[in-house]
Amino acid sequence: MNSLDLPKAPQDTRVVVAMSGGVDSSVVAGLLKREGYDVVGITLQLYDHGAATHRRGACCAGQDIHDARRAAETLGIPHYVLDYEDRFREAVIDRFADSYIHGETPIPCVECNRSIKFRDLLATARDLGADALATGHYVAGRARPGGGRALYRALDPARDQSYFLYATTAEQLDFLRFPLGELPKDETRRLAQSFGLAVADKPDSQDICFVPQGRYQDVIARLRPDAVRPGEIVHLDGRALGRHDGIIGFTVGQRRGLKLATGEPLYVVRLDPDNARVVVGPREALATSVIRLSETNWLGDAPLAALDGMPVAVRVRSTREPRLASLRWNAALSCAEVELATPEDGVSPGQPCAIYADDGPRAQVLGGGTILRVEAAQRAAA
């Protein structure tokens, strides 16, 4: 076995590297090239990058394509740019806009990994005769003793991206490799410098890539102009407190920007897209105990439909650590349900919910799903 757990010599092993133009994926290409693998770099053009060509903090823009090409030249590997704009618009941008209009809080990076990078790009890598597709994600893949591969949190907890990769299927994991899963970020930058890569000090991407000015509301309003309706801001007790220009400007848990003079701190508790209402209330109304999931991807050993109170840990936001919970299958509704050991604030439909075997720093990823519905702590207790 070589270092990628494949039964070939490195020089006989073709690896396609998804090169975004950032330091992480460029270092992956450099590491594999140094080990003697047959490396091919591919960069995806995902959207019309004209407005974001020189903007810092976004991935897959025009400057990033240039940086990926330059990194490939430095490393001496072939590099191709593939036009995936139509696929990306249909699978990610349109779905993102529709989700927000329906009062949800989607994370488009999850759908991009699921529908574009790990489906369409993976198929392209196979067409090129690749034995594996490698990416610069900070997550660890390990061979299972009985065959197949499992997914784990990365060594560097500050960089761990497992939350965005819970939807990776078992079949995809067999073909994917994540060389940075056992490296801290500072070591990645040191390696970039040793490879002579111009992106060694390039800032990490942080924004949603297809939002040029950092305001997703403007993008949604442009894509779905007829769907943005003004409406009321109402209290949980039924009082009308004010007006708003569209629910797309609000997210569950939001406090700032409500422009309400009530004398008490209020938070967005839920969004009612059918009636164009923003429902607000006190912070304690945000506490969630039960989360119902849709589009569940399961990587555990036991069948999902057989679970009834399995101890797990879950993460409902990328900036939060996994919380202890129990997982069960609701046969009546044909969906997975998570019951949190302690209530969580600001949980919104449309967000991803990643499921782990435990709350440890190197926990195995068991899958996850899209949050379909949440139940408040007091209702769940009753």
Side-chain angles (χ1 to χ4, degrees):
M1 290 289 189
N2 57 35
S3 63
L4 297 179
D5 294 328
L6 295 169
K8 289 183 176 182
Q11 63 267 26
D12 299 323
T13 305
R14 172 165 288 183
V15 185
V16 165
V17 177
M19 300 182 68
S20 67
V23 62
D24 298 323
S25 58
S26 298
V27 166
V28 166
L31 285 171
L32 296 175
K33 173 69 174 180
R34 186 177 67 181
E35 291 186 44
Y37 289 97
D38 177 11
V39 180
V40 178
I42 290 184
T43 300
L44 303 181
Q45 181 171 314
L46 299 180
Y47 60 96
D48 181 359
H49 53 73
T53 300
H54 297 293
R55 190 172 61 89
R56 296 173 58 165
C59 67
C60 310
Q63 183 62 42
D64 295 314
I65 294 174
H66 169 78
D67 290 342
R69 182 180 293 114
R70 184 177 177 185
E73 291 175 353
T74 299
L75 297 171
I77 63 172
H79 176 254
Y80 304 96
V81 178
L82 304 182
D83 184 352
Y84 275 32
E85 283 192 30
D86 289 343
R87 302 184 209 188
F88 185 73
R89 183 178 62 253
E90 294 171 4
V92 179
I93 298 179
D94 287 347
R95 178 167 177 163
F96 172 82
D98 291 340
S99 184
Y100 255 108
I101 288 170
H102 286 89
E104 299 175 341
T105 307
I107 306 295
C109 298
V110 172
E111 193 58 43
C112 182
N113 289 328
R114 176 183 9 220
S115 300
I116 303 297
K117 294 177 181 176
F118 294 167
R119 187 186 68 189
D120 294 344
L121 179 56
L122 191 146
T124 298
R126 291 187 187 278
D127 290 341
L128 290 173
D131 298 286
L133 171 64
T135 79
H137 290 103
Y138 283 85
V139 67
R142 303 175 194 165
R144 291 176 177 266
R149 298 183 68 79
L151 197 63
Y152 294 83
R153 294 185 67 187
L155 173 70
D156 189 340
R159 303 300 307 175
D160 175 54
Q161 294 174 294
S162 57
Y163 175 75
F164 302 101
L165 299 176
Y166 77 83
T168 309
T169 67
E171 181 183 6
Q172 292 168 344
L173 280 177
D174 287 346
F175 194 70
L176 287 164
R177 296 296 184 272
F178 307 104
L180 302 186
E182 305 297 336
L183 291 179
K185 179 72 177 194
D186 55 358
E187 175 65 9
T188 300
R189 291 203 181 275
R190 189 195 66 78
L191 285 167
Q193 292 174 346
S194 70
F195 294 143
L197 297 172
V199 294
D201 297 319
K202 184 177 180 178
D204 294 326
S205 60
Q206 297 174 343
D207 296 338
I208 297 174
C209 65
F210 54 87
V211 184
Q213 305 303 323
R215 286 182 50 83
Y216 60 83
Q217 298 97 327
D218 295 341
V219 174
I220 298 168
R222 187 179 72 248
L223 293 171
R224 303 287 187 272
D226 298 333
V228 180
R229 294 185 293 150
E232 289 185 318
I233 301 177
V234 299
H235 195 279
L236 279 171
D237 61 16
R239 288 178 292 153
L241 302 178
R243 301 281 299 177
H244 65 82
D245 295 328
I247 64 170
I248 63 172
F250 301 86
T251 57
V252 171
Q254 177 180 335
R255 179 183 175 184
R256 295 182 178 179
L258 298 182
K259 300 179 181 178
L260 300 175
T262 61
E264 60 175 320
L266 294 175
Y267 300 79
V268 176
V269 175
R270 67 173 180 269
L271 300 173
D272 179 2
D274 293 337
N275 297 298
R277 286 180 176 174
V278 176
V279 182
V280 300
R283 178 163 186 163
E284 53 265 28
L286 290 171
T288 295
S289 284
V290 176
I291 300 171
R292 194 169 295 161
L293 302 179
S294 66
E295 300 179 308
T296 305
N297 179 54
W298 183 242
L299 299 171
D301 294 327
L304 182 59
L307 299 183
D308 186 16
M310 176 183 177
V312 295
V314 300
R315 178 186 260 171
V316 295
R317 287 191 178 181
S318 62
T319 55
R320 297 181 184 177
E321 285 298 303
R323 297 279 193 94
L324 292 177
S326 61
L327 177 66
R328 62 176 177 262
W329 180 256
N330 188 323
L333 299 175
S334 298
C335 70
E337 285 185 345
V338 169
E339 183 167 359
L340 298 164
T342 56
E344 182 96 10
D345 288 348
V347 183
S348 171
Q351 290 176 201
C353 175
I355 302 172
Y356 302 86
D358 54 63
D359 60 350
R362 301 305 307 275
Q364 181 181 351
V365 182
L366 298 180
T370 303
I371 297 175
L372 177 65
R373 180 180 171 182
V374 300
E375 290 186 14
Q378 56 267 33
R379 292 203 304 271

